[in-house]
Amino acid sequence: MKDVISNSEYMIEIEDMYKIYKMGENEVRALNGVNLKIKPHEFVAIIGPSGSGKSTLMNMIGCLDTPTSGKYYIDGNEASQLKDDEQAAIRNKKIGFIFQQYNLLPKLNVEENVELPLIYAGVPLAKRREMTKTALERVGLYDRRFHRPTELSGGQQQRASIARALAARPPMILADEPTGALDSKTGSEVLNMLKELHQEGKTVILITHDNKIAHEADRIVRIMDGEIVFDSSVDGDKSQVNV
Amino acid sequence: MNLTQSFKMAIKSISASKMRTFLTMLGIIIGVCAVIVLVSVVQGSTGSITESIESLGANSINVIFTGRNSTKSVSYEEMVEFLDENREYISYVVPNMTGNGRVKYQSSNLNSSVVGTTPDYLTVKNRDIQSGRFINDMDVQKRRKVAVIGSYNARELFGFEDPIDKQIKINNELYTVVGVLDAISNSEGGSDDDTVIIPYSAGRLIFRTSKIRSYVVWASTAENVEEAVDRVERFLYSKFGDEDEYSVISVASMMDTLDEITGMMTILTAGIAGISLVVGGIGIMNIMLVSVTERTREIGIRKAIGAKRSSIMSQFLIEAALVSCLGGVIGILLSCFGTVILGNVMGIDAFPSIFVMLGAFLFSAVIGIFFGWAPASKASKLNPIDALHAD
């Protein structure tokens, strides 16, 4: 994929997005007219209880799904009705995913896992090794690069998955409950790492159900029943989110 | 993503579950092995049949009068006349009367096949004399009761005695032994060494007829066989006016028939064994489909981090093809042993041919790709969200 030149002041622009599932007679509106704009270098937390539609929203932001209607621009490029492979290319270049369950491939060692997005991006071997090394050093796992994920602690696995998210140097990190499976100490380590990434200039989007974790972000967006009910950038101080 | 990476990924997942990979391959291994062994053995046995037919001589044409109306025949004199007119294409015409006789010398006796013929018999049958002489033209003209016996008969009847000029009885008629043929086979009873040759003109009682029912016509060169067959057929048709009265068979045409039969045998056996290859391919498809289901999550992760459909497709397709090819190679190695062992057991020279091996290998690769296609396509079309949320 050619590098698309950013021609918008927003990293992410969602306009009037609907995602409707038909369950027999019933209609489930997972997203019910969502409008959301995120600028580059923002640190945004999207919160909401389970079933609120935050996972659906994450899938849309992550180019993992296509909306029923509405527009989605990523870096100024329309991305709402792309084909499978075009979505794959955007995921590969623009987005680094961090999942709650780490989602490392168990049969590959840490280095091979981190290398994977670079392989799919078609980066040549020497360059790939170098970028992998940088990413692994960044999370402090370079000396464990030959270990299998199962030989690592939860925190280390999540760091490996952060390294994988960073490897291809995407402008945006999309973290889905990244601390959900970790104890509070390692959880806060991971959170600190996300903060650092934000300070280094990455756009960080954090999806969580935990208000305390959400408060680490600069901006909080609360979603309920498929609609955004609170956005600290519009509705004032993020401390009011609990209200 | 390039092919090298797809190969590496495929090798990794193959080696991660060796037992399963082996069991998946088993169908292909057996299929490839069966194809090669069967085809090689068929070709090997064809080789030994071919050899024995070729020993009849490539120039030789057998003329047999087959008509139920047995009174009709062509006399030797007529055949010689025909020969004289066609010297360009035909070198010899030899009567080939056959019968069975009880051969006695003093107290020993045995049953042998008796051949009534002329001196040229020695040439067209490519035989030689061990001692004494062969029958000559005078013997034929004068209807002398002389006999040339095979090495088996000489040994059985005479032991260490010299058979030349001894009197033997064939069906109670007295014959004088004038020569002994050299041994060409194992000198056993019933072999080419168990034979008694007499002038065709002398054997009326033994053959119970004076009519010659069979000739060997010898074409001047191997290239002239076809023309010679033509001329013989035309000549015989002018005599009989009915194609059913005689048959003209050249060794060349026997070889053609044999080639046809063995060709069909080869295709048949290869086809039967090929079915097991196809069954092996279905086994691969089955396992690959299971594997895709099992690895739904892996596929989801790969897609989430940017794998395109083609990347997933090629990974699974190469995996299937690799399993199949690996099975093919193992099958080829096993078939080398199998062919040699089976060849020894059957007493024939059987070697797996390089073409059959190459063909079987290519076929197994094609099967891997063909049957790997559906699972690979299924994997590549998985929705990343569904795949990610799979257990």
Side-chain angles (χ1 to χ4, degrees):
Chain A
M1 198 185 95
K2 278 179 290 179
D3 267 333
V4 256
I5 302 133
S6 176
N7 49 10
S8 164
E9 59 171 314
Y10 295 106
M11 183 81 208
I12 281 171
E13 250 181 300
I14 290 173
E15 280 174 12
D16 208 23
M17 186 180 278
Y18 288 82
K19 182 71 180 180
I20 300 165
Y21 296 102
K22 291 242 164 64
M23 317 267 269
E25 293 291 295
N26 297 329
E27 241 185 32
V28 178
R29 293 174 170 243
L31 293 180
N32 194 12
V34 169
N35 286 285
L36 180 65
K37 287 179 175 156
I38 296 173
K39 286 183 187 153
H41 320 306
E42 270 197 277
F43 186 179
V44 184
I46 296 173
I47 60 168
S50 61
S52 60
K54 68 177 192 301
S55 291
T56 309
L57 184 59
M58 185 207 113
N59 290 341
M60 294 302 167
I61 294 171
C63 266
L64 289 163
D65 205 352
T66 47
T68 311
S69 71
K71 295 272 184 218
Y72 175 39
Y73 298 93
I74 181 163
D75 244 2
N77 297 286
E78 158 95 68
S80 37
Q81 300 298 335
L82 290 179
K83 293 201 191 79
D84 224 44
D85 280 357
E86 294 164 331
Q87 285 190 333
I90 287 186
R91 291 195 294 267
N92 189 243
K93 294 260 176 190
K94 300 263 181 208
I95 306 164
F97 286 93
I98 300 169
F99 300 97
Q100 179 178 7
Q101 295 300 334
Y102 327 130
N103 281 343
L104 298 165
L105 295 184
K107 283 171 187 169
L108 305 184
N109 66 31
V110 169
E111 186 179 51
E112 289 162 338
N113 264 292
V114 173
E115 204 182 8
L116 215 48
L118 301 172
I119 288 174
Y120 289 126
V123 178
L125 181 70
K127 179 88 178 151
R128 210 160 67 211
R129 281 286 139 85
E130 183 204 315
M131 289 169 85
T132 307
K133 187 180 179 209
T134 311
L136 278 170
E137 277 171 344
R138 177 75 181 71
V139 299
L141 276 180
Y142 188 64
D143 54 336
R144 297 197 181 244
R145 63 190 181 282
F146 297 129
H147 288 253
R148 292 280 179 95
T150 43
E151 296 161 357
L152 300 177
S153 71
Q156 286 169 330
Q157 287 188 58
Q158 193 57 297
R159 270 151 61 197
S161 90
I162 291 172
R164 182 179 65 187
L166 295 175
R169 294 171 192 169
M172 178 165 88
I173 299 290
L174 190 54
D176 181 16
E177 303 272 10
T179 60
L182 300 173
D183 61 60
S184 57
K185 186 171 167 286
T186 44
S188 67
E189 271 173 34
V190 166
L191 221 49
N192 283 332
M193 212 167 264
L194 288 179
K195 277 191 202 165
E196 278 171 38
L197 291 174
H198 166 237
Q199 276 154 21
E200 284 163 24
K202 299 235 187 261
T203 312
V204 179
I205 300 170
L206 173 69
I207 284 103
T208 180
H209 65 277
D210 188 332
N211 285 340
K212 222 161 62 204
I213 290 164
H215 276 283
E216 304 284 338
D218 295 340
R219 176 182 164 193
I220 295 179
V221 173
R222 188 175 175 84
I223 187 167
M224 189 81 101
D225 299 326
E227 288 171 47
I228 289 174
V229 292
F230 176 87
D231 186 340
S232 64
S233 70
V234 185
D235 305 321
D237 197 332
K238 65 181 180 179
S239 61
Q240 293 171 348
V241 70
N242 295 335
V243 181
Chain B
M1 196 183 68
N2 59 28
L3 259 133
T4 328
Q5 289 303 328
S6 303
F7 265 104
K8 279 186 189 163
M9 284 175 188
I11 289 167
K12 218 163 254 168
S13 67
I14 285 172
S15 54
S17 45
K18 293 185 184 67
M19 187 63 183
R20 167 189 282 202
T21 306
F22 173 72
L23 289 174
T24 312
M25 273 192 268
L26 205 54
I28 296 290
I29 294 174
I30 293 170
V32 166
C33 194
V35 169
I36 297 174
V37 170
L38 288 179
V39 170
S40 305
V41 166
V42 167
Q43 286 181 346
S45 48
T46 308
S48 60
I49 297 170
T50 308
E51 231 168 72
S52 59
I53 288 181
E54 272 174 347
S55 74
L56 294 173
N59 296 21
S60 130
I61 300 162
N62 288 299
V63 177
I64 302 160
F65 303 121
T66 51
R68 257 163 278 168
N69 178 8
S70 58
T71 56
K72 273 193 185 171
S73 174
V74 180
S75 72
Y76 181 57
E77 288 71 28
E78 285 174 297
M79 285 303 279
V80 169
E81 204 177 303
F82 165 71
L83 167 67
D84 285 336
E85 286 163 11
N86 296 283
R87 281 282 174 199
E88 203 183 323
Y89 295 101
I90 298 166
S91 302
Y92 307 102
V93 169
V94 173
N96 190 24
M97 300 182 90
T98 50
N100 284 307
R102 188 145 194 87
V103 187
K104 266 191 201 170
Y105 174 70
Q106 292 173 351
S107 59
S108 24
N109 65 72
L110 45 95
N111 285 313
S112 285
S113 70
V114 182
V115 178
T117 187
T118 55
D120 289 334
Y121 183 87
L122 210 56
T123 315
V124 303
K125 291 288 179 186
N126 194 24
R127 297 293 295 260
D128 246 318
I129 285 293
Q130 194 176 41
S131 62
R133 64 171 180 87
F134 197 63
I135 56 173
N136 59 30
D137 288 331
M138 287 305 282
D139 298 333
V140 175
Q141 267 178 38
K142 305 270 180 200
R143 301 183 181 185
R144 283 184 191 146
K145 295 206 183 299
V146 291
V148 177
I149 60 175
S151 55
Y152 169 77
N153 311 72
R155 196 184 65 212
E156 291 295 308
L157 293 172
F158 295 96
F160 294 109
E161 227 180 301
D162 182 12
I164 307 297
D165 291 334
K166 299 278 167 21
Q167 301 272 308
I168 56 170
K169 277 184 176 172
I170 305 173
N171 290 358
N172 287 322
E173 272 187 291
L174 269 180
Y175 281 77
T176 309
V177 177
V178 293
V180 179
L181 290 167
D182 63 348
I184 56 161
S185 61
N186 50 6
S187 293
E188 291 297 318
S191 76
D192 288 336
D193 292 325
D194 176 10
T195 186
V196 175
I197 294 167
I198 58 172
Y200 81 93
S201 50
R204 192 172 301 215
L205 282 175
I206 293 166
F207 304 122
R208 295 201 186 91
T209 173
S210 57
K211 294 201 164 56
I212 299 168
R213 304 292 299 160
S214 166
Y215 289 95
V216 175
V217 176
W218 191 257
S220 53
T221 64
E223 290 74 42
N224 285 340
V225 168
E226 223 172 300
E227 179 61 27
V229 168
D230 261 18
R231 288 180 179 237
V232 170
E233 276 177 341
R234 257 180 281 149
F235 168 69
L236 293 177
Y237 191 78
S238 70
K239 289 276 171 198
F240 290 97
D242 182 359
E243 284 177 5
D244 293 338
E245 293 281 337
Y246 53 85
S247 72
V248 180
I249 305 158
S250 69
V251 167
S253 71
M254 281 166 75
M255 293 290 286
D256 286 350
T257 313
L258 183 75
D259 281 351
E260 227 167 83
I261 292 167
T262 52
M264 272 173 61
M265 286 267 287
T266 307
I267 290 168
L268 203 70
T269 47
I272 291 168
I275 290 170
S276 62
L277 255 182
V278 172
V279 173
I282 294 169
I284 288 182
M285 177 157 73
N286 202 359
I287 297 292
M288 289 303 292
L289 281 171
V290 171
S291 163
V292 167
T293 310
E294 273 180 3
R295 287 153 69 185
T296 302
R297 194 180 177 83
E298 177 197 326
I299 296 161
I301 295 168
R302 286 180 185 276
K303 286 199 123 183
I305 62 174
K308 291 183 180 165
R309 278 189 180 180
S310 57
S311 313
I312 302 289
M313 181 90 188
S314 63
Q315 182 191 343
F316 279 82
L317 203 55
I318 287 172
E319 196 173 317
L322 220 53
V323 167
S324 186
C325 288
L326 206 59
V329 169
I330 295 174
I332 286 171
L333 292 179
L334 283 180
S335 74
C336 292
F337 293 109
T339 307
V340 171
I341 290 168
L342 202 61
N344 278 338
V345 169
M346 292 171 66
I348 52 170
D349 287 335
F351 295 103
S353 86
I354 193 88
F355 291 107
V356 177
M357 288 200 269
L358 209 65
F361 177 75
L362 286 179
F363 192 48
S364 65
V366 167
I367 273 184
I369 291 167
F370 183 81
F371 287 106
W373 196 273
S377 159
K378 185 186 168 190
S380 75
K381 284 177 187 150
L382 281 178
N383 187 341
I385 318 166
D386 299 339
L388 270 174
H389 294 145
D391 286 323

